[in-house]
Amino acid sequence: MNHLNKSIVWIYLICIFISFESCKKTSTDTNPQPVVFTFSAPDTILFEYSGNKPLAVGVQCTEDREFGASLSGLNGSFSDNNQDLVIRSNQQQSFNITFNQLGATPGIYPCELRMSVFNVNNYTPQYKTIQLVYAPNCGYNFINHINGEITYQINGNLLYRNISCSYNNLGQLVVTNLTSFPVTLDVNCQAQTVTMKPVTINGFYMTGDGTIQGQFINLNIYSNGALDAVSKIKP
């Protein structure tokens, strides 16, 4: 093989090598390494009654990236207002979870949090199950009570009442037909006591307090600070 032919062969081999390296580079560029990240979110969000609570999500990553967070599988009593979060590496954002207790039954309602990496082709999304819990306070235990007793100090007569009890969206027990006005009770479950929300009726300032004893609530009602009646809420 003469010198010219050798030169042509070498040029040909060099071109093949350059082409091969170029292909390797292109392949590397279009198939970047997966982005390694972790994220944090609470396991449980507890609701005692209707309202809004934050669900904070944080992302940890050594690269400066943007991540997308979304929720799915929400029970109809809960809403995230179709909100998706965009979170940068090593930062935190929060969903605003709204709970409406109307028609809801106490219990655990799971939903799924999905985390993904923006602008990367070969990422694998990560998931976490979040437990949304409706756990009303102990006032909820009395919503089916239908019997009441009340004795007014003015005459000492014991009266029996057909009452209705409900658990409102502030976590209070509302009792109707025990007296001439609805009685709204704040419940301290730890101390097993109740406090009546004050109302003014015909110029009289009505207050009340009482205790929980098993399935019964014993309630004293005051008019302008003086004992007006003693009562009991029963099953």
Short mmCIF file of all heavy atoms in Angstrom, two decimals, residues 89-114:
data_model
loop_
_atom_site.label_atom_id
_atom_site.label_comp_id
_atom_site.label_asym_id
_atom_site.label_seq_id
_atom_site.Cartn_x
_atom_site.Cartn_y
_atom_site.Cartn_z
N SER A 89 -35.66 23.07 44.76
CA SER A 89 -34.83 22.24 45.64
C SER A 89 -34.63 22.90 46.99
O SER A 89 -34.38 24.11 47.08
CB SER A 89 -33.47 21.98 44.99
OG SER A 89 -33.61 21.24 43.81
N ASN A 90 -34.77 22.10 48.05
CA ASN A 90 -34.50 22.51 49.42
C ASN A 90 -35.41 23.64 49.89
O ASN A 90 -35.04 24.45 50.74
CB ASN A 90 -33.03 22.89 49.57
CG ASN A 90 -32.11 21.79 49.10
OD1 ASN A 90 -32.27 20.62 49.47
ND2 ASN A 90 -31.16 22.14 48.24
N GLN A 91 -36.62 23.68 49.33
CA GLN A 91 -37.62 24.63 49.77
C GLN A 91 -38.92 23.89 50.12
O GLN A 91 -39.01 22.67 49.97
CB GLN A 91 -37.86 25.70 48.71
CG GLN A 91 -36.65 26.59 48.46
CD GLN A 91 -36.94 27.73 47.50
OE1 GLN A 91 -38.09 28.01 47.15
NE2 GLN A 91 -35.89 28.39 47.04
N GLN A 92 -39.91 24.64 50.56
CA GLN A 92 -41.17 24.05 51.03
C GLN A 92 -42.35 24.90 50.56
O GLN A 92 -42.27 26.12 50.53
CB GLN A 92 -41.15 23.96 52.56
CG GLN A 92 -42.43 23.40 53.18
CD GLN A 92 -42.32 23.26 54.68
OE1 GLN A 92 -41.64 22.38 55.20
NE2 GLN A 92 -42.99 24.15 55.41
N GLN A 93 -43.43 24.24 50.18
CA GLN A 93 -44.69 24.89 49.86
C GLN A 93 -45.80 24.11 50.54
O GLN A 93 -45.60 22.97 50.98
CB GLN A 93 -44.92 24.94 48.34
CG GLN A 93 -43.88 25.72 47.55
CD GLN A 93 -44.03 27.22 47.73
OE1 GLN A 93 -45.05 27.71 48.21
NE2 GLN A 93 -43.00 27.96 47.33
N SER A 94 -47.01 24.70 50.59
CA SER A 94 -48.12 24.04 51.28
C SER A 94 -49.38 24.02 50.44
O SER A 94 -49.73 25.02 49.80
CB SER A 94 -48.42 24.75 52.60
OG SER A 94 -47.35 24.62 53.52
N PHE A 95 -50.05 22.86 50.44
CA PHE A 95 -51.42 22.78 49.96
C PHE A 95 -52.33 23.38 51.02
O PHE A 95 -52.04 23.32 52.22
CB PHE A 95 -51.84 21.33 49.73
CG PHE A 95 -51.16 20.65 48.58
CD1 PHE A 95 -50.07 19.82 48.80
CD2 PHE A 95 -51.62 20.82 47.29
CE1 PHE A 95 -49.44 19.18 47.75
CE2 PHE A 95 -51.00 20.18 46.23
CZ PHE A 95 -49.91 19.36 46.46
N ASN A 96 -53.46 23.93 50.59
CA ASN A 96 -54.50 24.39 51.51
C ASN A 96 -55.65 23.40 51.43
O ASN A 96 -56.40 23.39 50.46
CB ASN A 96 -54.96 25.80 51.15
CG ASN A 96 -55.98 26.33 52.14
OD1 ASN A 96 -55.87 26.12 53.34
ND2 ASN A 96 -56.98 27.02 51.64
N ILE A 97 -55.78 22.55 52.45
CA ILE A 97 -56.80 21.51 52.45
C ILE A 97 -58.06 22.04 53.15
O ILE A 97 -58.00 22.49 54.29
CB ILE A 97 -56.31 20.24 53.17
CG1 ILE A 97 -54.98 19.76 52.57
CG2 ILE A 97 -57.37 19.13 53.08
CD1 ILE A 97 -55.06 19.38 51.11
N THR A 98 -59.17 21.98 52.43
CA THR A 98 -60.46 22.42 52.97
C THR A 98 -61.31 21.20 53.31
O THR A 98 -61.44 20.29 52.49
CB THR A 98 -61.20 23.30 51.96
OG1 THR A 98 -60.41 24.45 51.64
CG2 THR A 98 -62.55 23.77 52.53
N PHE A 99 -61.89 21.20 54.51
CA PHE A 99 -62.75 20.11 54.94
C PHE A 99 -64.15 20.64 55.22
O PHE A 99 -64.32 21.64 55.92
CB PHE A 99 -62.19 19.45 56.20
CG PHE A 99 -63.12 18.45 56.84
CD1 PHE A 99 -63.57 17.35 56.13
CD2 PHE A 99 -63.56 18.61 58.15
CE1 PHE A 99 -64.45 16.43 56.70
CE2 PHE A 99 -64.42 17.71 58.73
CZ PHE A 99 -64.86 16.61 58.01
N ASN A 100 -65.16 19.97 54.66
CA ASN A 100 -66.57 20.28 54.93
C ASN A 100 -67.19 19.06 55.60
O ASN A 100 -67.34 18.02 54.97
CB ASN A 100 -67.29 20.63 53.63
CG ASN A 100 -68.74 21.02 53.86
OD1 ASN A 100 -69.24 20.99 54.99
ND2 ASN A 100 -69.43 21.38 52.80
N GLN A 101 -67.56 19.20 56.87
CA GLN A 101 -68.04 18.05 57.64
C GLN A 101 -69.47 17.65 57.30
O GLN A 101 -69.93 16.57 57.72
CB GLN A 101 -67.95 18.34 59.13
CG GLN A 101 -68.99 19.35 59.63
CD GLN A 101 -68.76 19.72 61.08
OE1 GLN A 101 -67.63 19.96 61.51
NE2 GLN A 101 -69.83 19.78 61.86
N LEU A 102 -70.21 18.49 56.55
CA LEU A 102 -71.59 18.19 56.25
C LEU A 102 -71.70 16.86 55.51
O LEU A 102 -71.16 16.69 54.42
CB LEU A 102 -72.21 19.30 55.40
CG LEU A 102 -73.70 19.14 55.05
CD1 LEU A 102 -74.53 19.19 56.34
CD2 LEU A 102 -74.16 20.23 54.09
N GLY A 103 -72.35 15.91 56.11
CA GLY A 103 -72.51 14.59 55.51
C GLY A 103 -71.33 13.67 55.71
O GLY A 103 -71.37 12.51 55.27
N ALA A 104 -70.27 14.15 56.35
CA ALA A 104 -69.08 13.32 56.54
C ALA A 104 -69.23 12.43 57.77
O ALA A 104 -69.85 12.80 58.77
CB ALA A 104 -67.83 14.19 56.69
N THR A 105 -68.63 11.26 57.69
CA THR A 105 -68.60 10.32 58.80
C THR A 105 -67.20 10.31 59.39
O THR A 105 -66.22 10.30 58.65
CB THR A 105 -68.97 8.90 58.33
OG1 THR A 105 -70.27 8.93 57.73
CG2 THR A 105 -68.97 7.92 59.48
N PRO A 106 -67.07 10.33 60.71
CA PRO A 106 -65.73 10.26 61.30
C PRO A 106 -64.96 9.05 60.77
O PRO A 106 -65.51 7.96 60.62
CB PRO A 106 -66.01 10.12 62.80
CG PRO A 106 -67.33 10.80 62.99
CD PRO A 106 -68.12 10.48 61.75
N GLY A 107 -63.70 9.25 60.45
CA GLY A 107 -62.89 8.16 59.92
C GLY A 107 -61.63 8.68 59.26
O GLY A 107 -61.29 9.87 59.34
N ILE A 108 -60.92 7.75 58.61
CA ILE A 108 -59.64 8.04 57.94
C ILE A 108 -59.86 8.01 56.43
O ILE A 108 -60.40 7.04 55.90
CB ILE A 108 -58.57 7.01 58.35
CG1 ILE A 108 -58.34 7.07 59.86
CG2 ILE A 108 -57.26 7.27 57.60
CD1 ILE A 108 -57.41 5.97 60.37
N TYR A 109 -59.41 9.06 55.75
CA TYR A 109 -59.61 9.19 54.31
C TYR A 109 -58.25 9.41 53.65
O TYR A 109 -57.71 10.52 53.66
CB TYR A 109 -60.55 10.35 54.01
CG TYR A 109 -61.92 10.18 54.63
CD1 TYR A 109 -62.20 10.66 55.91
CD2 TYR A 109 -62.92 9.50 53.95
CE1 TYR A 109 -63.45 10.48 56.49
CE2 TYR A 109 -64.18 9.33 54.51
CZ TYR A 109 -64.44 9.81 55.78
OH TYR A 109 -65.67 9.63 56.34
N PRO A 110 -57.66 8.36 53.05
CA PRO A 110 -56.34 8.49 52.44
C PRO A 110 -56.39 9.21 51.09
O PRO A 110 -57.38 9.12 50.36
CB PRO A 110 -55.88 7.04 52.27
CG PRO A 110 -57.15 6.26 52.15
CD PRO A 110 -58.16 6.97 53.00
N CYS A 111 -55.33 9.93 50.78
CA CYS A 111 -55.13 10.49 49.45
C CYS A 111 -53.65 10.28 49.10
O CYS A 111 -52.85 9.89 49.95
CB CYS A 111 -55.51 11.96 49.39
SG CYS A 111 -54.50 13.06 50.42
N GLU A 112 -53.30 10.52 47.84
CA GLU A 112 -51.94 10.24 47.37
C GLU A 112 -51.25 11.52 46.93
O GLU A 112 -51.78 12.29 46.13
CB GLU A 112 -51.97 9.25 46.22
CG GLU A 112 -50.59 8.76 45.81
CD GLU A 112 -50.65 7.60 44.85
OE1 GLU A 112 -51.07 7.82 43.69
OE2 GLU A 112 -50.28 6.48 45.23
N LEU A 113 -50.06 11.73 47.46
CA LEU A 113 -49.21 12.85 47.07
C LEU A 113 -48.20 12.36 46.04
O LEU A 113 -47.50 11.37 46.26
CB LEU A 113 -48.48 13.40 48.30
CG LEU A 113 -47.40 14.45 48.06
CD1 LEU A 113 -47.97 15.70 47.42
CD2 LEU A 113 -46.70 14.80 49.38
N ARG A 114 -48.13 13.05 44.89
CA ARG A 114 -47.21 12.69 43.80
C ARG A 114 -46.18 13.80 43.63
O ARG A 114 -46.54 14.98 43.54
CB ARG A 114 -47.98 12.50 42.49
CG ARG A 114 -47.12 12.12 41.29
CD ARG A 114 -48.01 12.04 40.04
NE ARG A 114 -47.31 11.52 38.88
CZ ARG A 114 -46.61 12.26 38.01
NH1 ARG A 114 -46.52 13.58 38.19
NH2 ARG A 114 -46.02 11.70 36.98
#
